[in-house]
Amino acid sequence: VQLVESGGGFVQAGGSLRLTCIGSGFTLNDYAIAWFRQTPGREREVVSCISIFDESTYYRNSVKGRFTISADNAKNTVYLQMNSLKSEDTAVYFCAAESLRNACVGPITTSTYDYWGQGTQVTVSA
C-alpha cells in the first residue's frame, strides 16, 4: 500500500486548495482513507475521512462546511477540497489508509491507520 499526497501550497486566508491522495497497491472500495494534519509541537489530528464500504464520512468540527472529502474509485484517489481557509488550517497534511471496518467512525486517531503518505504542507497567511 502506497499513498502520495499533493496539492499543498501557500494561500491567503479565505482562499482554497485541493489536496489529492493517490493510492496504489490496494482498492479504494476496501479501505477507509483519512486526512490528518500536524503542526510543530502538536499531535497529529484527524481532519476528515471517507469509507466507501462503510458508506461513511467524517469531518472535525472546525472544518465542517468548509472542507469536502470525495473519492474517485476509477483513479484510486481521494480529494480534500478546502475552502475558506484560515490561518489555523496551516499544517502538514497527511493521508492515511486502513482496511478495518469502522475506521471512519469516531474516535479516529493515528493508531487507527496503518498506512501513511509523506505529507504535503499547507500554509495559510492571515
Side-chain angles (χ1 to χ4, degrees):
V1 173
Q2 288 190 324
L3 302 165
V4 178
E5 305 99 331
S6 62
F10 181 91
V11 64
Q12 292 185 335
S16 299
L17 285 173
R18 188 178 78 161
L19 304 184
T20 299
C21 175
I22 300 176
S24 59
F26 68 99
T27 301
L28 197 57
N29 278 344
D30 297 331
Y31 278 70
I33 303 295
W35 285 97
F36 287 76
R37 66 187 180 188
Q38 187 170 26
T39 54
R42 300 188 65 178
E43 292 187 358
R44 198 169 294 187
E45 62 182 21
V46 63
V47 177
S48 181
C49 73
I50 186 167
S51 172
I52 295 171
F53 58 71
D54 282 338
E55 298 182 333
S56 62
T57 57
Y58 167 88
Y59 297 94
R60 70 182 301 109
N61 286 338
S62 61
V63 307
K64 285 180 180 178
R66 301 189 298 122
F67 291 11
T68 303
I69 193 168
S70 61
D72 185 332
N73 283 348
K75 297 181 179 180
N76 228 42
T77 298
V78 171
Y79 304 98
L80 184 68
Q81 178 66 44
M82 305 187 297
N83 298 328
S84 302
L85 282 162
K86 304 176 181 180
S87 57
E88 51 262 44
D89 295 318
T90 294
V92 178
Y93 284 70
F94 300 87
C95 69
E98 176 54 48
S99 62
L100 292 178
R101 299 282 168 167
N102 297 318
C104 200
V105 177
I108 303 168
T109 66
T110 55
S111 62
T112 305
Y113 287 78
D114 285 337
Y115 305 100
W116 293 83
Q118 82 288 352
T120 185
Q121 176 71 47
V122 170
T123 303
V124 184
S125 66

Coordinates of all heavy atoms in Angstrom, one line a residue, residues 2-96:
Q2 N 0.6 2.1 -1.0 CA 1.4 3.4 -1.0 C 0.4 4.5 -1.2 O -0.6 4.4 -1.9 CB 2.4 3.4 -2.2 CG 3.6 2.4 -1.9 CD 4.7 2.6 -2.9 OE1 4.4 2.8 -4.1 NE2 5.9 2.5 -2.5
L3 N 0.7 5.6 -0.6 CA -0.1 6.8 -0.7 C 0.8 8.0 -1.0 O 1.8 8.2 -0.4 CB -0.8 7.1 0.6 CG -1.7 6.0 1.2 CD1 -2.1 6.2 2.6 CD2 -3.0 5.9 0.3
V4 N 0.3 8.8 -2.0 CA 1.1 10.0 -2.3 C 0.2 11.2 -2.3 O -0.8 11.2 -3.1 CB 1.7 9.8 -3.7 CG1 2.5 11.1 -4.1 CG2 2.7 8.6 -3.8
E5 N 0.5 12.2 -1.5 CA -0.3 13.4 -1.4 C 0.3 14.5 -2.3 O 1.5 14.5 -2.6 CB -0.3 14.0 0.0 CG -0.8 13.0 1.1 CD 0.4 12.4 1.8 OE1 1.5 12.2 1.2 OE2 0.2 12.1 3.0
S6 N -0.5 15.4 -2.7 CA -0.1 16.6 -3.5 C -1.2 17.6 -3.3 O -2.2 17.4 -2.8 CB 0.1 16.3 -5.0 OG -1.1 15.8 -5.6
G7 N -0.8 18.8 -3.8 CA -1.8 19.9 -3.8 C -1.6 21.0 -2.7 O -2.3 22.0 -2.7
G8 N -0.7 20.7 -1.8 CA -0.4 21.7 -0.8 C 0.2 23.0 -1.4 O 0.6 23.0 -2.5
G9 N 0.3 24.0 -0.6 CA 0.9 25.3 -1.0 C 0.6 26.4 -0.1 O 0.2 26.2 1.0
F10 N 0.8 27.6 -0.6 CA 0.7 28.8 0.1 C -0.6 29.5 -0.4 O -0.7 29.7 -1.6 CB 1.9 29.7 0.0 CG 1.9 31.0 0.8 CD1 2.3 31.0 2.1 CD2 1.3 32.1 0.2 CE1 2.3 32.2 2.8 CE2 1.3 33.3 0.9 CZ 1.7 33.3 2.2
V11 N -1.4 30.0 0.5 CA -2.7 30.6 0.1 C -3.0 31.7 1.1 O -2.7 31.5 2.3 CB -3.8 29.6 -0.1 CG1 -4.2 28.9 1.2 CG2 -5.0 30.3 -0.8
Q12 N -3.7 32.7 0.7 CA -4.2 33.7 1.7 C -5.4 33.3 2.3 O -6.2 32.4 1.8 CB -4.4 35.0 1.0 CG -3.1 35.7 0.5 CD -3.4 37.1 -0.1 OE1 -4.5 37.4 -0.6 NE2 -2.4 38.0 -0.1
A13 N -5.7 33.8 3.5 CA -6.9 33.4 4.3 C -8.1 33.7 3.4 O -8.2 34.7 2.7 CB -7.0 34.2 5.6
G14 N -9.1 32.8 3.4 CA -10.2 32.9 2.6 C -10.1 32.2 1.3 O -11.1 32.0 0.5
G15 N -8.9 31.8 0.9 CA -8.7 31.1 -0.3 C -9.0 29.6 -0.2 O -9.5 29.1 0.8
S16 N -8.6 28.9 -1.3 CA -9.0 27.5 -1.5 C -7.8 26.7 -1.9 O -6.9 27.2 -2.7 CB -10.1 27.2 -2.4 OG -11.3 27.9 -2.0
L17 N -7.7 25.4 -1.6 CA -6.8 24.4 -2.1 C -7.5 23.1 -2.2 O -8.4 22.8 -1.4 CB -5.6 24.3 -1.1 CG -4.5 25.4 -1.1 CD1 -3.5 25.1 0.0 CD2 -3.8 25.5 -2.4
R18 N -7.0 22.3 -3.1 CA -7.5 20.9 -3.2 C -6.3 20.0 -3.0 O -5.4 20.0 -3.8 CB -8.2 20.6 -4.5 CG -8.9 19.3 -4.5 CD -9.7 19.0 -5.8 NE -8.8 18.6 -6.9 CZ -9.2 18.0 -8.0 NH1 -10.5 17.6 -8.1 NH2 -8.4 17.7 -8.9
L19 N -6.4 19.1 -2.0 CA -5.4 18.1 -1.8 C -5.8 16.8 -2.5 O -7.0 16.5 -2.5 CB -5.2 17.9 -0.3 CG -4.8 19.1 0.6 CD1 -4.6 18.6 2.0 CD2 -3.7 19.8 0.0
T20 N -4.8 16.1 -3.0 CA -5.0 14.9 -3.6 C -4.2 13.8 -3.0 O -3.0 14.0 -2.7 CB -4.6 15.0 -5.1 OG1 -5.4 16.0 -5.8 CG2 -4.8 13.7 -5.9
C21 N -4.8 12.6 -2.8 CA -4.1 11.4 -2.3 C -4.3 10.3 -3.3 O -5.5 9.8 -3.4 CB -4.7 11.1 -0.9 SG -4.1 9.6 -0.2
I22 N -3.3 9.9 -3.9 CA -3.3 8.8 -4.9 C -2.8 7.5 -4.2 O -1.7 7.5 -3.7 CB -2.5 9.1 -6.1 CG1 -3.0 10.4 -6.8 CG2 -2.6 8.0 -7.1 CD1 -2.2 10.9 -8.0
G23 N -3.7 6.5 -4.3 CA -3.3 5.2 -3.6 C -2.9 4.2 -4.7 O -3.4 4.2 -5.8
S24 N -2.0 3.3 -4.3 CA -1.6 2.2 -5.1 C -1.4 1.0 -4.2 O -1.1 1.1 -3.0 CB -0.4 2.5 -5.9 OG 0.7 2.8 -5.0
G25 N -1.6 -0.2 -4.8 CA -1.4 -1.4 -4.1 C -2.6 -1.9 -3.3 O -2.6 -2.8 -2.5
F26 N -3.7 -1.2 -3.5 CA -5.0 -1.6 -2.8 C -6.1 -1.0 -3.6 O -6.0 -0.2 -4.5 CB -5.0 -1.1 -1.4 CG -5.1 0.4 -1.3 CD1 -6.3 1.1 -1.0 CD2 -4.0 1.2 -1.4 CE1 -6.4 2.4 -0.9 CE2 -4.1 2.6 -1.3 CZ -5.3 3.2 -1.1
T27 N -7.3 -1.5 -3.3 CA -8.5 -1.0 -3.9 C -9.3 0.0 -3.0 O -9.6 -0.4 -1.8 CB -9.5 -2.2 -4.3 OG1 -8.7 -3.0 -5.2 CG2 -10.7 -1.7 -5.0
L28 N -9.6 1.1 -3.5 CA -10.2 2.1 -2.7 C -11.5 1.7 -2.0 O -11.8 2.0 -0.9 CB -10.5 3.4 -3.5 CG -10.8 4.7 -2.8 CD1 -9.6 5.0 -1.9 CD2 -11.0 5.8 -3.8
N29 N -12.2 0.8 -2.7 CA -13.5 0.3 -2.2 C -13.3 -0.5 -0.9 O -14.2 -0.6 0.0 CB -14.2 -0.6 -3.2 CG -15.0 0.1 -4.2 OD1 -15.3 1.3 -4.0 ND2 -15.3 -0.5 -5.3
D30 N -12.1 -1.0 -0.6 CA -11.9 -1.9 0.5 C -11.2 -1.1 1.7 O -10.9 -1.8 2.7 CB -11.0 -3.1 0.1 CG -11.6 -4.0 -0.9 OD1 -12.9 -4.0 -0.9 OD2 -10.9 -4.6 -1.7
Y31 N -10.9 0.2 1.5 CA -10.2 0.9 2.5 C -10.9 2.2 2.9 O -11.6 2.8 2.1 CB -8.8 1.2 2.0 CG -7.8 0.1 2.1 CD1 -7.9 -1.0 1.3 CD2 -6.7 0.2 3.0 CE1 -7.0 -2.0 1.4 CE2 -5.8 -0.9 3.1 CZ -5.9 -2.0 2.3 OH -5.0 -3.0 2.4
A32 N -10.7 2.6 4.1 CA -11.0 3.9 4.6 C -9.8 4.8 4.4 O -8.7 4.4 4.6 CB -11.5 3.9 6.0
I33 N -10.1 6.0 3.9 CA -9.0 7.0 3.7 C -9.3 8.2 4.6 O -10.4 8.8 4.5 CB -8.9 7.4 2.2 CG1 -8.7 6.2 1.3 CG2 -7.7 8.4 2.1 CD1 -7.4 5.5 1.5
A34 N -8.3 8.6 5.3 CA -8.4 9.8 6.2 C -7.4 10.8 5.9 O -6.3 10.5 5.4 CB -8.3 9.3 7.6
W35 N -7.7 12.0 6.1 CA -6.7 13.2 6.1 C -6.5 13.6 7.5 O -7.4 13.8 8.3 CB -7.3 14.3 5.3 CG -7.3 14.1 3.8 CD1 -8.3 13.7 3.0 CD2 -6.2 14.3 2.9 NE1 -7.9 13.7 1.7 CE2 -6.6 14.0 1.6 CE3 -4.8 14.7 3.1 CZ2 -5.7 14.1 0.5 CZ3 -4.0 14.8 2.0 CH2 -4.5 14.5 0.7
F36 N -5.2 13.6 7.9 CA -4.8 14.2 9.2 C -3.9 15.4 8.9 O -3.5 15.6 7.8 CB -3.9 13.1 9.9 CG -4.6 12.0 10.5 CD1 -5.1 10.9 9.6 CD2 -4.9 11.9 11.8 CE1 -5.8 9.8 10.2 CE2 -5.6 10.8 12.4 CZ -6.0 9.7 11.5
R37 N -3.7 16.2 10.0 CA -2.8 17.3 9.9 C -2.0 17.5 11.1 O -2.4 17.0 12.2 CB -3.5 18.6 9.5 CG -4.5 19.1 10.6 CD -5.3 20.3 10.1 NE -6.2 20.8 11.1 CZ -7.1 21.7 10.9 NH1 -7.3 22.3 9.7 NH2 -7.9 22.1 11.9
Q38 N -0.9 18.1 11.0 CA 0.0 18.2 12.2 C 0.8 19.5 12.1 O 1.3 19.9 11.0 CB 1.0 17.0 12.3 CG 1.8 17.0 13.5 CD 2.6 15.7 13.7 OE1 2.9 15.0 12.7 NE2 2.9 15.3 14.9
T39 N 0.9 20.2 13.2 CA 1.7 21.4 13.3 C 2.8 21.1 14.3 O 2.7 20.2 15.2 CB 0.9 22.6 13.8 OG1 0.2 22.3 15.0 CG2 -0.1 23.0 12.7
P40 N 3.9 21.8 14.3 CA 5.0 21.6 15.2 C 4.6 21.6 16.7 O 3.9 22.5 17.1 CB 6.0 22.7 14.9 CG 5.7 23.0 13.5 CD 4.3 22.9 13.3
G41 N 5.0 20.6 17.4 CA 4.7 20.5 18.8 C 3.3 20.0 19.2 O 3.0 20.0 20.4
R42 N 2.6 19.7 18.2 CA 1.2 19.2 18.4 C 1.0 17.8 17.9 O 1.7 17.4 16.9 CB 0.2 20.2 17.9 CG 0.3 21.6 18.4 CD -0.9 22.4 18.0 NE -2.2 21.9 18.5 CZ -3.3 22.5 18.3 NH1 -3.4 23.6 17.5 NH2 -4.4 22.0 18.8
E43 N 0.1 17.1 18.4 CA -0.3 15.8 17.9 C -1.0 15.9 16.6 O -1.7 16.8 16.3 CB -1.1 15.0 18.9 CG -0.5 14.7 20.2 CD -1.3 13.8 21.1 OE1 -2.5 13.5 20.7 OE2 -0.9 13.4 22.2
R44 N -0.8 14.8 15.8 CA -1.5 14.7 14.5 C -2.9 14.5 14.8 O -3.3 13.7 15.6 CB -0.9 13.6 13.7 CG -1.2 13.6 12.3 CD -0.3 12.5 11.5 NE 1.1 12.8 11.6 CZ 2.0 12.1 10.9 NH1 1.6 11.1 10.1 NH2 3.3 12.4 11.0
E45 N -3.8 15.3 14.1 CA -5.2 15.2 14.3 C -5.9 14.9 13.0 O -5.5 15.3 12.0 CB -5.7 16.6 14.9 CG -5.5 17.8 14.0 CD -6.0 19.1 14.6 OE1 -6.1 19.2 15.8 OE2 -6.3 20.0 13.8
V46 N -7.0 14.2 13.2 CA -7.8 13.8 12.0 C -8.6 15.1 11.5 O -9.1 15.8 12.4 CB -8.8 12.6 12.3 CG1 -9.8 13.0 13.4 CG2 -9.4 12.2 11.0
V47 N -8.7 15.2 10.2 CA -9.4 16.3 9.6 C -10.7 15.8 9.0 O -11.8 16.3 9.2 CB -8.6 17.0 8.5 CG1 -9.4 18.1 7.8 CG2 -7.3 17.6 9.1
S48 N -10.6 14.7 8.3 CA -11.7 14.1 7.6 C -11.4 12.7 7.2 O -10.2 12.4 7.0 CB -12.1 15.0 6.3 OG -13.2 14.5 5.6
C49 N -12.4 11.9 6.9 CA -12.2 10.6 6.4 C -13.4 10.2 5.6 O -14.5 10.7 5.7 CB -11.8 9.6 7.4 SG -13.1 9.1 8.5
I50 N -13.2 9.2 4.7 CA -14.2 8.6 3.9 C -14.0 7.1 3.8 O -12.9 6.6 3.7 CB -14.2 9.3 2.5 CG1 -15.4 8.8 1.6 CG2 -12.9 9.0 1.7 CD1 -15.6 9.7 0.4
S51 N -15.2 6.4 3.9 CA -15.1 5.0 3.7 C -16.3 4.6 2.8 O -17.4 4.8 3.1 CB -15.3 4.3 5.1 OG -15.4 2.9 4.9
I52 N -15.9 4.0 1.6 CA -16.9 3.6 0.7 C -17.7 2.4 1.2 O -18.9 2.4 1.1 CB -16.3 3.4 -0.7 CG1 -15.7 4.7 -1.2 CG2 -17.3 2.8 -1.7 CD1 -14.9 4.6 -2.5
F53 N -17.0 1.4 1.7 CA -17.7 0.2 2.1 C -18.5 0.4 3.3 O -19.5 -0.3 3.5 CB -16.8 -1.0 2.2 CG -15.6 -0.8 3.2 CD1 -15.9 -0.8 4.6 CD2 -14.3 -0.7 2.8 CE1 -14.8 -0.7 5.5 CE2 -13.3 -0.6 3.6 CZ -13.5 -0.6 5.0
D54 N -18.1 1.4 4.2 CA -19.0 1.7 5.4 C -20.0 2.8 5.0 O -20.9 3.1 5.9 CB -18.1 2.2 6.5 CG -17.4 1.1 7.3 OD1 -17.9 -0.1 7.2 OD2 -16.4 1.3 7.9
E55 N -19.9 3.4 3.9 CA -20.7 4.5 3.5 C -20.7 5.6 4.5 O -21.8 6.1 5.0 CB -22.2 4.0 3.2 CG -22.2 3.0 2.1 CD -23.7 2.5 1.8 OE1 -24.5 2.6 2.7 OE2 -23.9 2.2 0.6
S56 N -19.5 6.0 4.9 CA -19.4 7.0 6.0 C -18.4 8.0 5.6 O -17.4 7.8 4.9 CB -19.1 6.3 7.3 OG -17.8 5.7 7.2
T57 N -18.6 9.2 6.1 CA -17.7 10.3 6.1 C -17.6 10.9 7.4 O -18.5 10.8 8.2 CB -18.0 11.4 5.0 OG1 -19.3 11.9 5.3 CG2 -18.0 10.8 3.6
Y58 N -16.5 11.6 7.7 CA -16.3 12.3 9.0 C -15.6 13.6 8.7 O -14.7 13.7 7.9 CB -15.5 11.4 9.9 CG -15.0 12.2 11.1 CD1 -15.8 12.3 12.3 CD2 -13.8 12.8 11.1 CE1 -15.3 13.0 13.4 CE2 -13.3 13.5 12.2 CZ -14.1 13.6 13.3 OH -13.6 14.3 14.4
Y59 N -16.0 14.6 9.5 CA -15.3 15.9 9.5 C -15.1 16.4 10.9 O -16.0 16.3 11.7 CB -16.1 17.0 8.7 CG -16.3 16.7 7.2 CD1 -17.4 16.1 6.8 CD2 -15.3 17.1 6.3 CE1 -17.6 15.8 5.4 CE2 -15.5 16.8 4.9 CZ -16.6 16.2 4.5 OH -16.8 15.9 3.2
R60 N -13.9 16.9 11.2 CA -13.8 17.5 12.5 C -14.6 18.8 12.5 O -14.8 19.4 11.5 CB -12.3 17.8 12.9 CG -11.6 18.8 12.2 CD -10.2 18.9 12.6 NE -10.1 19.2 14.0 CZ -9.6 18.3 15.0 NH1 -9.3 17.1 14.6 NH2 -9.6 18.6 16.2
N61 N -15.1 19.2 13.7 CA -16.0 20.3 13.8 C -15.5 21.6 13.1 O -16.2 22.4 12.5 CB -16.4 20.6 15.2 CG -17.3 19.6 15.8 OD1 -18.0 18.9 15.0 ND2 -17.3 19.4 17.1
S62 N -14.2 21.9 13.3 CA -13.6 23.1 12.8 C -13.5 23.3 11.3 O -13.3 24.4 10.8 CB -12.2 23.3 13.4 OG -11.3 22.3 13.0
V63 N -13.8 22.2 10.6 CA -13.7 22.2 9.1 C -15.0 22.0 8.5 O -15.2 22.1 7.3 CB -12.6 21.3 8.5 CG1 -11.3 21.5 9.2 CG2 -13.1 19.8 8.6
K64 N -16.0 21.6 9.3 CA -17.4 21.4 8.7 C -17.9 22.6 8.0 O -17.8 23.7 8.5 CB -18.3 21.0 9.8 CG -18.1 19.6 10.3 CD -19.1 19.2 11.4 CE -18.9 17.8 11.9 NZ -19.9 17.5 13.0
G65 N -18.4 22.4 6.8 CA -18.9 23.5 6.0 C -17.9 24.1 5.1 O -18.2 24.9 4.2
R66 N -16.6 23.8 5.4 CA -15.5 24.5 4.6 C -14.8 23.4 3.8 O -14.3 23.7 2.7 CB -14.6 25.2 5.5 CG -15.2 26.3 6.4 CD -14.1 27.1 7.1 NE -13.3 26.3 8.1 CZ -12.0 26.1 8.0 NH1 -11.3 26.7 7.1 NH2 -11.4 25.4 9.0
F67 N -14.6 22.2 4.3 CA -13.8 21.2 3.6 C -14.8 20.1 3.1 O -15.8 19.8 3.8 CB -12.9 20.5 4.6 CG -11.7 21.4 5.0 CD1 -11.7 22.7 4.8 CD2 -10.6 20.8 5.7 CE1 -10.6 23.5 5.2 CE2 -9.6 21.6 6.1 CZ -9.5 22.9 5.8
T68 N -14.5 19.5 2.0 CA -15.2 18.4 1.4 C -14.3 17.3 1.0 O -13.4 17.5 0.2 CB -16.1 18.9 0.2 OG1 -16.9 20.0 0.6 CG2 -16.9 17.7 -0.3
I69 N -14.6 16.1 1.5 CA -13.8 14.9 1.1 C -14.6 14.2 0.0 O -15.8 14.1 0.1 CB -13.5 14.0 2.3 CG1 -12.4 13.0 1.9 CG2 -14.7 13.3 2.8 CD1 -11.8 12.3 3.1
S70 N -13.9 13.6 -1.0 CA -14.5 12.9 -2.1 C -13.5 11.8 -2.6 O -12.3 11.9 -2.3 CB -15.0 13.8 -3.2 OG -13.9 14.4 -3.8
A71 N -14.1 10.8 -3.2 CA -13.3 9.7 -3.7 C -13.6 9.4 -5.2 O -14.8 9.5 -5.6 CB -13.5 8.5 -2.9
D72 N -12.6 9.1 -6.0 CA -12.7 8.7 -7.3 C -12.2 7.2 -7.4 O -11.0 7.0 -7.5 CB -12.0 9.6 -8.3 CG -12.2 9.3 -9.7 OD1 -12.4 8.1 -10.1 OD2 -12.1 10.2 -10.6
N73 N -13.1 6.3 -7.5 CA -12.7 4.9 -7.5 C -11.9 4.5 -8.7 O -10.9 3.8 -8.6 CB -13.9 4.0 -7.5 CG -14.6 3.9 -6.1 OD1 -14.0 4.3 -5.1 ND2 -15.8 3.4 -6.0
A74 N -12.2 5.1 -9.8 CA -11.5 4.7 -11.1 C -10.1 5.2 -11.0 O -9.2 4.5 -11.6 CB -12.2 5.4 -12.3
K75 N -9.8 6.2 -10.3 CA -8.4 6.7 -10.2 C -7.8 6.3 -8.9 O -6.6 6.7 -8.6 CB -8.4 8.3 -10.3 CG -8.9 8.8 -11.7 CD -8.8 10.3 -11.7 CE -9.3 10.8 -13.1 NZ -9.3 12.3 -13.2
N76 N -8.5 5.6 -8.0 CA -8.0 5.2 -6.7 C -7.5 6.4 -5.9 O -6.4 6.4 -5.3 CB -6.9 4.2 -6.8 CG -7.1 3.0 -5.9 OD1 -8.2 2.5 -5.7 ND2 -6.0 2.5 -5.3
T77 N -8.2 7.5 -6.0 CA -7.8 8.8 -5.5 C -8.9 9.4 -4.6 O -10.1 9.3 -4.8 CB -7.5 9.7 -6.7 OG1 -6.5 9.2 -7.5 CG2 -7.1 11.1 -6.2
V78 N -8.4 10.0 -3.5 CA -9.2 10.8 -2.6 C -8.8 12.2 -2.6 O -7.6 12.5 -2.6 CB -9.2 10.2 -1.2 CG1 -9.9 11.1 -0.2 CG2 -9.8 8.8 -1.2
Y79 N -9.8 13.1 -2.6 CA -9.6 14.5 -2.6 C -10.0 15.2 -1.3 O -11.0 14.7 -0.7 CB -10.3 15.2 -3.8 CG -9.9 14.6 -5.2 CD1 -10.8 13.7 -5.7 CD2 -8.8 15.0 -5.8 CE1 -10.5 13.1 -7.0 CE2 -8.5 14.5 -7.1 CZ -9.3 13.5 -7.6 OH -9.0 13.0 -8.8
L80 N -9.4 16.3 -1.0 CA -9.9 17.1 0.1 C -9.9 18.5 -0.4 O -8.9 19.2 -0.6 CB -9.0 17.0 1.3 CG -9.5 17.8 2.6 CD1 -10.8 17.1 3.1 CD2 -8.4 17.9 3.7
Q81 N -11.2 19.0 -0.7 CA -11.4 20.4 -1.1 C -11.5 21.2 0.1 O -12.3 21.0 0.9 CB -12.6 20.5 -2.0 CG -12.9 21.9 -2.5 CD -11.9 22.4 -3.5 OE1 -11.5 21.7 -4.4 NE2 -11.5 23.7 -3.3
M82 N -10.6 22.2 0.2 CA -10.5 23.1 1.3 C -10.9 24.5 0.9 O -10.1 25.1 0.1 CB -9.2 23.0 2.0 CG -8.7 21.6 2.3 SD -7.2 21.6 3.3 CE -6.0 22.3 2.1
N83 N -12.0 25.0 1.4 CA -12.4 26.4 1.1 C -12.4 27.2 2.3 O -12.3 26.7 3.4 CB -13.8 26.4 0.5 CG -13.9 25.6 -0.8 OD1 -12.9 25.5 -1.6 ND2 -15.1 25.0 -1.1
S84 N -12.5 28.5 2.1 CA -12.5 29.5 3.2 C -11.4 29.2 4.2 O -11.6 29.1 5.5 CB -13.9 29.5 3.9 OG -14.9 29.8 3.0
L85 N -10.2 29.0 3.7 CA -9.1 28.6 4.6 C -8.8 29.7 5.6 O -8.9 30.9 5.3 CB -7.9 28.3 3.7 CG -7.9 26.9 3.1 CD1 -7.0 26.8 1.9 CD2 -7.7 25.8 4.1
K86 N -8.3 29.2 6.8 CA -8.0 30.1 7.9 C -6.5 29.8 8.3 O -6.0 28.8 8.0 CB -8.9 29.8 9.1 CG -10.4 30.0 8.8 CD -11.2 29.6 10.0 CE -12.7 29.7 9.8 NZ -13.5 29.3 10.9
S87 N -5.9 30.8 8.9 CA -4.5 30.6 9.3 C -4.3 29.4 10.2 O -3.3 28.7 10.2 CB -4.0 31.9 10.0 OG -4.8 32.2 11.2
E88 N -5.4 29.1 11.0 CA -5.3 27.9 11.9 C -5.3 26.6 11.1 O -5.1 25.5 11.7 CB -6.3 27.9 13.0 CG -7.7 28.1 12.5 CD -8.2 29.6 12.6 OE1 -7.4 30.5 12.2 OE2 -9.3 29.8 13.0
D89 N -5.6 26.6 9.8 CA -5.5 25.4 9.0 C -4.1 25.1 8.5 O -3.9 24.1 7.9 CB -6.4 25.6 7.7 CG -7.9 25.7 8.1 OD1 -8.4 24.9 9.0 OD2 -8.6 26.5 7.5
T90 N -3.2 26.0 8.8 CA -1.8 25.8 8.4 C -1.2 24.5 9.1 O -1.3 24.4 10.3 CB -0.9 27.0 8.8 OG1 -1.4 28.1 8.0 CG2 0.5 26.7 8.5
A91 N -0.7 23.6 8.3 CA -0.2 22.4 8.9 C 0.4 21.5 7.7 O 0.2 21.9 6.6 CB -1.3 21.6 9.6
V92 N 1.0 20.4 8.1 CA 1.3 19.4 7.1 C 0.2 18.4 7.1 O -0.3 18.0 8.2 CB 2.6 18.7 7.5 CG1 2.9 17.6 6.5 CG2 3.8 19.6 7.6
Y93 N -0.3 18.2 6.0 CA -1.5 17.3 5.8 C -1.0 15.9 5.3 O -0.3 15.9 4.3 CB -2.5 17.9 4.8 CG -3.3 19.1 5.5 CD1 -2.7 20.3 5.8 CD2 -4.7 18.9 5.8 CE1 -3.4 21.3 6.4 CE2 -5.4 19.9 6.4 CZ -4.8 21.1 6.7 OH -5.5 22.1 7.3
F94 N -1.5 14.9 5.9 CA -1.2 13.5 5.6 C -2.5 12.8 5.2 O -3.5 12.9 5.8 CB -0.5 12.8 6.8 CG 0.7 13.4 7.3 CD1 0.7 14.4 8.2 CD2 1.9 13.0 6.8 CE1 1.8 15.0 8.7 CE2 3.1 13.5 7.3 CZ 3.1 14.5 8.3
C95 N -2.4 11.9 4.2 CA -3.5 11.0 4.0 C -3.0 9.6 4.6 O -1.8 9.3 4.6 CB -3.9 10.9 2.6 SG -2.8 10.1 1.4
A96 N -4.0 8.8 5.0 CA -3.8 7.5 5.6 C -4.8 6.6 5.2 O -6.0 7.0 4.9 CB -3.8 7.7 7.1

